[in-house]
């Protein structure tokens, strides 16, 4: 039997959770899957929503500090089966999503996921060749392998999905996306307007610390550096022009053309530009944080 684990936190919306459980319960019944809801929200309204469905409702204390890697570890310890589906409480899978992901696991994949759609029309849109964004909000895992690698590294508090992707690839396991997409009800990461773009830009100022931790831990994959390479060029080009010739600024033309082609519209390109530039801007902080984190880890291990 396959187990579906859904985390519920203090910031979740009751209406979204109800929509997710309604759809997932119907799918689970037809597929003979079991549902576990890990609830550390400490909210009565969310508990009331969960009680309407035939699920294993596990309650836990709310974390004082958000640590998704630790949360995932606690969730996985509740599972008894080899194949586990992880779904966030604001993500709705399509009719074909769960069977497709489980089929990938049966064919030797250790970690598979479906990219997000923010409109039902995008559910069957194929992934772009450059779209390699692992997530655990709509994913399936071979739990036996996850146990073998020691579960999630809890230092990666909010980048646990990228850490898992990199760790498994380094260990020689197969990780890849599943065809199709899951509907993400929360559109904040879709960057559909200036407000959400600015919100993502602020988030990206500190996100680089996890990427630099991956570098120092020897887990960096080429795909993870493409964003830094592309958006970093926006800073590098003017710097080079200062020491050579203003004509170097014409290099912006192919860079911008690539961005327009990738995002498929000027609006999407512009709304993704700010978060991308912010990611690179936070790189010095991220590197400094990762170096300190690494040295403290070595010092701690030395005292063991």
């Amino acid at each position: 039997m396959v187990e579906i684990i859904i985390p519920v936190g203090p910031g979740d919306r009751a209406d979204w959770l109800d929509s997710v459980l309604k759809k997932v319960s119907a799918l689970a019944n037809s597929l003979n899957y079991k549902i576990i809801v890990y609830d550390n929200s400490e909210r009565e309204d969310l508990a009331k929503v969960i009680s309407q469905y035939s699920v294993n409702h596990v309650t836990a204390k709310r974390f004082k500090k958000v640590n998704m890697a630790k949360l995932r570890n606690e969730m996985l310890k509740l599972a008894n089966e080899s194949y586990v589906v992880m779904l966030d409480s604001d993500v709705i899978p399509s009719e074909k999503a769960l069977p497709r992901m489980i089929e990938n696991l049966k064919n030797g994949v250790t970690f598979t996921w479906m990219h997000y759609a923010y409109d039902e029309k995008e559910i069957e849109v194929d992934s772009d060749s450059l779209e390699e964004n692992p997530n655990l909000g709509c994913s399936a895992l071979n739990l036996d392998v996850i146990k073998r690698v020691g579960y999630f590294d809890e230092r990666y508090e909010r980048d646990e999905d990228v850490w898992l992707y990199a760790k498994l690839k380094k260990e020689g396991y197969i990780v890849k996306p599943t065809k199709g997409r899951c509907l993400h009800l929360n559109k904040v990461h879709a960057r559909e307007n200036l407000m959400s773009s600015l919100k993502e830009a602020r988030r990206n100022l500190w996100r680089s610390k996890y990427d630099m931790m991956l570098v120092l831990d020897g887990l960096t994959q080429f795909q993870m550096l493409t964003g830094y390479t592309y958006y970093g060029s926006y800073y590098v080009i003017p710097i080079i022009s200062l020491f050579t010739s203003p004509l170097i600024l014409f290099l912006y033309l192919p860079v911008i053309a690539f961005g327009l082609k990738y995002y498929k519209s000027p609006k999407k390109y512009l709304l993704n530009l700010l978060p991308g530039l912010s990611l690179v801007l936070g790189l010095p902080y991220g590197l400094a944080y990762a170096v300190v984190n690494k040295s403290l880890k070595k010092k701690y291990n030395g005292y063991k």
Side-chain angles (χ1 to χ4, degrees):
M1 182 182 290
V2 175
E3 291 172 298
I4 305 169
I5 309 180
I6 302 173
V8 174
D12 288 359
R13 281 178 48 168
D15 57 336
W16 286 355
L17 175 62
D18 186 47
S19 296
V20 171
L21 289 179
K22 183 177 182 179
K23 180 61 178 290
V24 175
S25 293
L27 291 175
N29 287 335
S30 65
L31 295 167
N32 195 29
Y33 292 177
K34 184 166 67 174
I35 302 173
I36 301 173
V37 176
Y38 184 85
D39 177 13
N40 73 336
S41 68
E42 298 183 350
R43 282 175 50 185
E44 292 183 6
D45 61 328
L46 296 181
K48 185 177 180 180
V49 171
I50 299 168
S51 68
Q52 299 174 26
Y53 297 93
S54 298
V55 301
N56 180 9
H57 184 188
V58 178
T59 58
K61 288 185 178 181
R62 178 178 176 177
F63 288 176
K64 293 181 179 180
K65 179 183 178 183
V66 176
N67 186 324
M68 292 306 298
K70 182 177 181 180
L71 178 68
R72 302 289 182 192
N73 284 339
E74 295 299 319
M75 290 164 58
L76 288 179
K77 289 173 185 176
L78 300 172
N80 296 306
E81 304 294 335
S82 295
Y83 296 156
V84 173
V85 171
M86 282 195 168
L87 287 175
D88 282 352
S89 58
D90 57 3
V91 176
I92 297 180
S94 67
E95 299 288 336
K96 300 176 182 178
L98 305 185
R100 282 179 180 174
M101 289 194 291
I102 296 304
E103 186 63 27
N104 264 339
L105 295 186
K106 290 179 178 178
N107 289 332
V109 177
T110 294
F111 168 33
T112 186
W113 67 93
M114 298 183 78
H115 290 114
Y116 293 136
Y118 296 95
D119 188 301
E120 291 187 2
K121 298 176 182 178
E122 302 171 348
I123 294 296
E124 290 297 326
V125 174
D126 287 336
S127 301
D128 189 279
S129 59
L130 295 175
E131 187 178 16
E132 190 80 356
N133 303 313
N135 72 74
L136 288 161
C138 181
S139 63
L141 308 172
N142 184 321
L143 185 55
D144 295 333
V145 175
I146 305 304
K147 290 179 179 179
R148 206 175 300 152
V149 299
Y151 289 97
F152 290 91
D153 186 334
E154 294 182 3
R155 293 180 302 128
Y156 290 84
E157 299 170 345
R158 296 197 182 190
D159 240 18
E160 81 288 0
D161 45 10
V162 178
W163 174 85
L164 182 66
Y165 171 91
K167 178 69 173 180
L168 292 174
K169 286 202 78 170
K170 184 177 181 181
E171 296 288 333
Y173 295 104
I174 301 173
V175 296
K176 69 175 187 177
T178 292
K179 180 183 178 182
R181 296 172 184 268
C182 287
L183 183 63
H184 205 314
L185 299 177
N186 188 349
K187 296 187 178 184
V188 65
H189 298 302
R191 304 171 186 175
E192 293 183 328
N193 52 53
L194 182 59
M195 187 61 69
S196 62
S197 179
L198 290 172
K199 198 168 185 178
E200 282 288 277
R202 184 173 62 182
R203 174 180 176 270
N204 279 358
L205 284 173
W206 54 259
R207 181 185 159 193
S208 62
K209 69 181 182 182
Y210 298 118
D211 293 327
M212 294 304 102
M213 285 168 60
L214 288 169
V215 171
L216 297 184
D217 286 346
L219 295 175
T220 305
Q221 300 292 320
F222 170 75
Q223 295 92 333
M224 298 175 191
L225 299 178
T226 54
Y228 290 97
T229 302
Y230 177 72
Y231 290 108
S233 66
Y234 283 86
Y235 294 99
V236 172
I237 290 173
I239 292 173
I240 293 177
S241 70
L242 288 175
F243 294 97
T244 55
S245 167
L247 294 175
I248 295 295
L249 294 174
F250 281 104
L251 288 176
Y252 272 125
L253 295 177
V255 171
I256 293 172
F258 177 84
L260 290 170
K261 181 180 179 182
Y262 179 77
Y263 289 109
K264 299 180 176 62
S265 80
K267 181 182 177 181
K268 283 189 175 182
Y269 162 73
L270 291 172
L271 290 174
N272 280 276
L273 186 59
L274 280 176
L277 294 176
S278 176
L279 181 69
V280 178
L281 190 63
L283 189 57
Y285 157 75
L287 182 58
Y289 178 95
V291 169
V292 172
N293 180 281
K294 188 76 170 179
S295 62
L296 288 177
K297 181 183 178 184
K298 287 182 178 179
K299 183 177 180 181
Y300 172 75
N301 289 337
Y303 284 114
K304 280 188 174 182

